[in-house]
Amino acid sequence: MNHQALPLLGVIGFLAACVAGTAEGDRRPYIVQMDVSAMPTPFTTHEGWYTSVLSSLSGRDEEAAPEHLYTYAHAMHGFSAVLTPRQLAEIQGMEGHVTAFPETYARLHTTRTPEFLGLTGGGAGAGGVWPASKYGEDVIVGIVDTGVWPESESFSDAGMTTKAVPARWKGACEAGKAFKASMCNGKLIGARSFSKALKQRGLAIAPDDYDSARDYYGHGSHTSSTAAGSAVKGASYFGYANGTATGIAPMARLAMYKAVFSGDTLESASSDVLAAMDRAIADGVDVMSLSLGFPETSYDTNVIAIGAFAAMQKGIFVTCSAGNDGSDGYTIMNGAPWITTVGASTIDREFTATVTLGSGSGGKRIHGKSVYPEHTAIADADLYYGHGNKSKQKCDYSSLSRKEVSGKYVFCTTGESLREQMDEVQGAGGRGLIAASNMKEFLQPTDYVMPLVLVTPSDGAAIQKFVTATKAPKVSIRFVGTELGVKPAPAVAYFSSRGPTQMSPAILKPDIVAPGVDILAAWVPNKEIMEIGKQKLYAKYMLVSGTSMASPHVAGVVALLRSAHPDWSPAVIRSAMMTTAYVKDNANNVIVSMPNRSPGTPLDYGSGHVSPNQATDPGLVYDATADDYVNFLCGLRYSSRQIAAVTGRRNASCATGANLDLNYPSFMVILNHTTSATRTFKRVLTNVAGSAAKHSVSVTAPAGMKVTVTPSALSFGGKGSKEGFSVTVQVSQVKRAGDDYSYIGNHGFLTWNEVGGKHAVRSPIVSAFAQ
């Protein structure tokens, strides 16, 4: 092991969160401070001295040797190591020893999303869900995706409390192309690949891909490290989002099931995805996350719905991405009610570039958005704007001439496509692009084929005014800025698919939203990102956006909750997250829906934005069993054959009753060819708090919606006690305004408030027009 001295900044926070070594007997990690002035003369380096000290402790029968973790040379002088009580006592008796203390967990300065989720700031209970759950210790998260890059620091087990794989684990690390079985460890405990269906169709794995669990694209490494990656100091995307990258459940275990290959198709992939889910269930994962989806079909032909039902029956929580087909209604994917469907939201972080108009540094400064990886400031570049020609102003196709544009930065007003504008500027020999944007088109970092800064239309007007009034306009640009605390946040990403779901619109989807915009996580380091001049760029960590990034955030939260409450069912965990989710942003306004920044609705954000600390102590929950979902399928008028296909039950019967009214933490009224409707719901709440409690109901409802709850107060005994209630929702004379067919429906909220207590159990009530 290479015990490098770490720089001063971040050492304590990083190491206090990274516990190494095994946990057999009483062995545990300690941080040991030493007096370097006491270093014996034969030693020339502190590390040599520390290594000698640890080596002198070895040799006792049946006692594991000390495991040296780190050497400190700046924040303090000393080292950390995994020691037995006897070994620690012996060090304490040595000359030069100053002090020793056991490893603790600190609140890290991460690449933002754990902090934005409140994990680093405490919350419910003493310190929040991170310490309460031991950071997701030993919960196994299975990811079905494009594979994993095992050498990434995010998959190192150096910080695991114990490297020993849980005895209940039945998985394996399969060898294959560029992937050895020895590449798994205490963090990445399983890796398999599934490509038989791909090969059966005669589709060869592309040359840049691997016939193994190794990631070729980066997506799988990104999602898995987001859910449960180890802490990695100094991670960034070429300086953007610099910090310590850590997964939401950093002490959880990871297992990768590669089922998506380069050149794959939906048809060939479906069998492979189902095989991956099947193997994950057999291996013993506790949580399964899929950031992919197939065209929406009935549940009996949807492999994700089928696999997820089997997983749910085994107590495995399944979370899936909602899809990136927003922002219209009825675009949700993976909407089966036994799946937790996750939409994407922004966080309070933006990546910026500063544009200075005019020569020198004294001109007007405009703050734009960019993730272009250029550290060298661009000074006094020529700036072009096609004033007087609308096509040139918008940089339309074939509008710019090389004679006018070559070597210059080009300003473009809002056009149809930023990608087309970049192509046009690049084709005309332009050096870079400053574009006024309404932010309705989202770009990934790999889309930045040239220097690009996005500014608001109002800033764009200021640039227009400057260029038209200046004879030889110049511009300077400084990239690689990261701004925190941005308001408002969160907001629902414009690409995030919206509800209702086509297959079962009576269930509100998405269930919840989580961070999914500009998320930094592990990537494949051998894949070219872009070229700047003649230099090819590669990245170990990548900024990516999509509901693909949101689902693993929830998978990580579920790992924390499963660790803190191992007796909770998948439905209880989902209920805990939904009823404690928040619907107001950091400016104390309703979460907005992008790109129009209009107030969001539950069809955009479900029950709200996930709040891990609150979810660990929800007070009351809505539980559901596999039998409840069978009755739901009966309510959808599925045949016995269809129900058997979904549930695996040979003698599936609807004799016990067809019922679309699941015991779900939300209420949905579908207006089918009508402007009014009345629906009554029945629900049962379970007390998961530690004591008896009384709750009273409160309702907020818009005009045209009347809500009656019976009874209006519930009294619960101790933990596990149940109480039922009914809700009647009357929706009357709902009309679309004029020809506004984007309007779908209205909403309110029902909340059970603990009398004299802290718990507030909130559920959305939504009315929506049928598709």
Side-chain angles (χ1 to χ4, degrees):
M1 182 182 292
N2 181 18
H3 308 294
Q4 283 189 308
L6 295 177
L8 172 64
L9 295 177
V11 172
I12 295 177
F14 176 67
L15 290 173
C18 296
V19 180
T22 59
E24 68 245 31
D26 293 322
R27 295 181 78 233
R28 62 184 304 181
Y30 290 89
I31 296 174
V32 181
Q33 187 174 9
M34 301 292 283
D35 179 4
V36 294
S37 67
M39 184 177 71
T41 53
F43 297 103
T44 58
T45 66
H46 302 152
E47 178 148 46
W49 178 31
Y50 304 151
T51 302
S52 176
V53 166
L54 293 171
S55 297
S56 71
L57 305 175
S58 303
R60 298 295 180 94
D61 292 340
E62 299 181 359
E63 183 183 56
E67 183 177 358
H68 186 183
L69 302 179
Y70 294 97
T71 292
Y72 310 125
H74 300 287
M76 58 168 273
H77 290 287
F79 58 91
S80 62
V82 181
L83 306 167
T84 65
R86 184 202 67 80
Q87 293 164 347
L88 174 64
E90 194 165 331
I91 290 176
Q92 289 172 327
M94 292 180 177
E95 185 178 358
H97 169 264
V98 177
T99 187
F101 48 92
E103 194 78 271
T104 59
Y105 295 103
R107 295 162 184 164
L108 299 174
H109 178 209
T110 69
T111 56
R112 197 58 180 173
T113 52
E115 184 174 355
F116 185 70
L117 290 172
L119 293 171
T120 61
V129 68
W130 252 2
S133 69
K134 297 182 181 179
Y135 297 76
E137 183 178 85
D138 278 353
V139 175
I140 302 170
V141 180
I143 307 287
V144 180
D145 215 299
T146 65
V148 64
W149 194 266
E151 296 87 352
S152 171
E153 290 180 77
S154 289
F155 308 118
S156 168
D157 64 0
M160 301 297 292
T161 308
T162 171
K163 295 179 183 178
V165 176
R168 59 191 170 84
W169 176 241
K170 300 181 179 66
C173 195
E174 296 178 349
K177 183 179 178 182
F179 201 106
K180 299 177 181 179
S182 60
M183 288 177 171
C184 287
N185 56 26
K187 165 60 70 176
L188 180 65
I189 64 172
R192 302 181 187 270
S193 65
F194 302 86
S195 59
K196 289 182 180 180
L198 171 72
K199 295 173 181 176
Q200 186 67 26
R201 285 182 58 109
L203 298 174
I205 296 174
D208 62 342
D209 200 351
Y210 305 90
D211 191 3
S212 71
R214 181 172 290 279
D215 194 359
Y216 74 98
Y217 181 69
H219 193 275
S221 298
H222 197 281
T223 55
S224 52
S225 61
T226 296
S230 297
V232 179
K233 182 179 178 292
S236 74
Y237 175 71
F238 300 104
Y240 292 102
N242 186 51
T244 299
T246 183
I248 301 303
M251 291 298 165
R253 315 295 183 136
L254 279 168
M256 173 55 66
Y257 298 86
K258 181 177 177 180
V260 182
F261 293 79
S262 182
D264 203 353
T265 68
L266 291 174
E267 290 77 20
S268 66
S270 59
S271 295
D272 293 330
V273 168
L274 187 58
M277 298 179 75
D278 182 82
R279 190 67 253 177
I281 294 169
D283 286 347
V285 302
D286 301 306
V287 184
M288 197 184 306
S289 178
L290 295 92
S291 291
L292 53 91
F294 296 100
E296 286 294 279
T297 61
S298 61
Y299 298 137
D300 60 305
T301 59
N302 186 313
V303 296
I304 294 179
I306 293 169
F309 194 97
M312 175 272 301
Q313 292 192 101
K314 295 287 187 180
I316 300 168
F317 190 101
V318 180
T319 174
C320 292
S321 51
N324 298 337
D325 295 325
S327 55
D328 293 334
Y330 286 98
T331 53
I332 286 284
M333 303 181 76
N334 298 318
W338 48 90
I339 294 172
T340 294
T341 312
V342 188
S345 59
T346 64
I347 64 173
D348 64 340
R349 179 181 65 190
E350 288 185 348
F351 305 117
T352 63
T354 302
V355 176
T356 303
L357 303 177
S359 299
S361 59
K364 180 179 177 62
R365 292 189 178 184
I366 292 174
H367 293 282
K369 297 181 181 181
S370 182
V371 290
Y372 187 72
E374 177 60 76
H375 287 267
T376 303
I378 296 164
D380 295 340
D382 291 331
L383 179 61
Y384 170 83
Y385 172 58
H387 178 63
N389 184 312
K390 290 185 178 181
S391 291
K392 290 183 178 182
Q393 288 174 183
K394 294 193 296 182
C395 302
D396 287 341
Y397 177 71
S398 295
S399 64
L400 302 179
S401 70
R402 181 171 289 272
K403 181 179 179 181
E404 294 176 311
V405 170
S406 183
K408 299 179 181 180
Y409 271 79
V410 179
F411 171 70
C412 304
T413 58
T414 304
E416 292 297 320
S417 168
L418 288 167
R419 293 174 178 84
E420 291 178 4
Q421 288 179 324
M422 278 192 287
D423 289 343
E424 179 63 18
V425 172
Q426 191 174 50
R431 184 178 170 187
L433 170 63
I434 303 171
S437 172
N438 54 20
M439 307 301 172
K440 290 187 177 181
E441 181 181 6
F442 197 87
L443 300 179
Q444 303 281 18
T446 50
D447 293 320
Y448 281 63
V449 297
M450 66 189 316
L452 170 66
V453 181
L454 305 180
V455 298
T456 64
S458 60
D459 287 327
I463 297 175
Q464 286 178 270
K465 183 178 179 180
F466 163 75
V467 176
T468 55
T470 307
K471 185 176 182 180
K474 300 282 186 178
V475 66
S476 298
I477 304 174
R478 183 177 293 277
F479 292 95
V480 194
T482 300
E483 183 180 353
L484 303 179
V486 173
K487 294 183 179 181
V492 182
Y494 85 91
F495 56 76
S496 186
S497 292
R498 268 53 170 195
T501 174
Q502 296 179 37
M503 294 300 109
S504 51
I507 300 295
L508 175 64
K509 293 286 180 170
D511 292 301
I512 208 162
V513 293
V517 176
D518 286 337
I519 304 303
L520 184 78
W523 202 246
V524 291
N526 66 339
K527 181 180 181 180
E528 181 183 335
I529 301 297
M530 64 176 68
E531 287 189 30
I532 295 181
K534 295 182 179 180
Q535 182 183 7
K536 295 181 178 180
L537 298 184
Y538 302 85
K540 294 182 179 180
Y541 287 82
M542 188 68 172
L543 292 167
V544 187
S545 300
T547 55
S548 283
M549 287 63 250
S551 179
H553 275 90
V554 167
V557 173
V558 172
L560 300 177
L561 297 176
R562 175 59 61 86
S563 180
H565 302 285
D567 58 326
W568 282 7
S569 71
V572 166
I573 293 175
R574 176 177 58 200
S575 175
M577 291 190 294
M578 290 176 66
T579 61
T580 60
Y582 61 88
V583 296
K584 288 194 174 183
D585 58 30
N586 57 3
N588 202 33
N589 296 314
V590 174
I591 293 173
V592 300
S593 175
M594 301 297 284
N596 296 325
R597 302 180 187 274
S598 57
T601 78
L603 295 174
D604 303 312
Y605 52 65
S607 291
H609 193 283
V610 66
S611 182
N613 288 324
Q614 282 62 45
T616 196
D617 182 20
L620 306 175
V621 294
Y622 297 86
D623 200 0
T625 67
D627 287 342
D628 295 326
Y629 295 122
V630 171
N631 290 337
F632 178 80
L633 294 174
C634 292
L636 291 177
R637 298 184 180 180
Y638 274 34
S639 66
S640 296
R641 182 199 61 78
Q642 287 178 298
I643 295 173
V646 175
T647 66
R649 301 185 179 190
R650 293 183 179 180
N651 301 315
S653 170
C654 293
T656 57
N659 189 2
L660 286 174
D661 188 22
L662 270 175
N663 196 40
Y664 216 77
S666 58
F667 304 87
M668 190 79 169
V669 178
I670 295 297
L671 302 173
N672 193 7
H673 303 294
T674 182
T675 60
S676 61
T678 298
R679 186 177 174 190
T680 297
F681 305 85
K682 293 183 179 180
R683 293 288 188 269
V684 175
L685 282 164
T686 303
N687 184 13
V688 292
S691 60
K694 183 176 181 179
H695 288 70
S696 62
V697 74
S698 63
V699 173
T700 58
M705 178 185 287
K706 181 181 178 182
V707 180
T708 304
V709 182
T710 305
S712 60
L714 298 174
S715 294
F716 294 85
K719 186 176 181 179
S721 64
K722 301 176 184 293
E723 293 293 334
F725 66 97
S726 65
V727 181
T728 299
V729 181
Q730 295 173 280
V731 180
S732 59
Q733 300 303 315
V734 178
K735 295 181 179 179
R736 287 186 168 104
D739 295 326
D740 183 11
Y741 287 96
S742 64
Y743 175 82
I744 294 180
N746 216 332
H747 72 280
F749 291 95
L750 179 156
T751 306
W752 288 101
N753 300 290
E754 185 179 8
V755 178
K758 64 180 181 179
H759 298 113
V761 186
R762 184 177 59 234
S763 296
I765 308 170
V766 183
S767 66
F769 288 107
Q771 189 175 23

